[in-house]
Amino acid sequence: YERFTLANGADVALMPRRDTPLVAMNVVVRGGSLADAPGREGTAALLADLMQKGAGDRDAAQFAEAIEGAGGALSVGADAESLAVGADFLARDVGLMIDLARDVLLRPGLAAEEFEKVRALAIQSIVAAKDADPSGLLGAYGDAWLFRNHPYGRPVGGSEESLAAVTLEDLLRHYRAQVRGDRLIITVVGDFDA
């Protein structure tokens, strides 16, 4: 693979492979839920969900249609130490993939009405998980017990109480503090011209 650093500090690794007409990209932004403010656990996870609900000049429906219309996949997720944007598209649609990923990172919609939907769904998911198979909660409760007062003990997805306290301004603050060129690691593999 070819590796280099962009002027903004982003680390890039490119690996062209011509055996299949697909391109996969992963963009990791250092700084995930460990940067969530105390009492606002789940901020990074909500931000990741909201970043997929419209970006650039596309609202949530247009953004989803652009991805599905090309037969591609694009998702944003959060863990303790990072936000990650993953995309898989046919080689002929690599330009669209880059445009969509760029918009997610540089021009996320972060609309107030979408925020309310994303937060409500996250809270409902936690409630449903508590009512379903309790083994699904072992990881979160185990980390809370094992790491106790350390940030690793806080749930990445937050709790019902912490999510209810998170505001759109918290997400905007997290985005401005974490999503910067010097915090990016970009990898691209597949049938593309480096």
Side-chain angles (χ1 to χ4, degrees), residues 74-100:
L74 188 144
S75 62
V76 184
D79 63 23
E81 297 180 351
S82 67
L83 287 172
V85 178
D88 297 294
F89 279 74
L90 291 171
R92 69 173 187 241
D93 297 316
V94 71
L96 175 63
M97 179 185 75
I98 292 170
D99 288 346
L100 293 171

Side-chain angles (χ1 to χ4, degrees), residues 21 32 40 62 73 80 86-87 102 111 129 138 142 153 156 159 176 178 184 189-190 194:
R40 300 273 201 269
Q62 293 167 331
R102 179 197 61 222
L138 286 176
V156 171
S159 66
R176 288 189 292 264
Q178 302 299 322
L184 295 179
V189 177

Side-chain angles (χ1 to χ4, degrees), residues 68-154:
E68 291 172 15
L74 188 144
S75 62
V76 184
D79 63 23
E81 297 180 351
S82 67
L83 287 172
V85 178
D88 297 294
F89 279 74
L90 291 171
R92 69 173 187 241
D93 297 316
V94 71
L96 175 63
M97 179 185 75
I98 292 170
D99 288 346
L100 293 171
R102 179 197 61 222
D103 285 346
V104 162
L105 289 165
L106 298 178
R107 302 185 319 147
L110 305 180
E113 63 275 4
E114 293 296 335
F115 166 72
E116 294 299 336
K117 293 177 196 174
V118 165
R119 183 173 63 175
L121 183 59
I123 292 170
Q124 290 170 2
S125 296
I126 292 172
V127 171
K130 288 180 179 179
D131 290 340
D133 182 9
S135 66
L137 299 171
L138 286 176
Y141 286 121
D143 287 347
W145 179 82
L146 182 63
F147 294 108
R148 290 185 180 80
N149 296 322
H150 189 277
Y152 279 127
R154 302 184 307 174

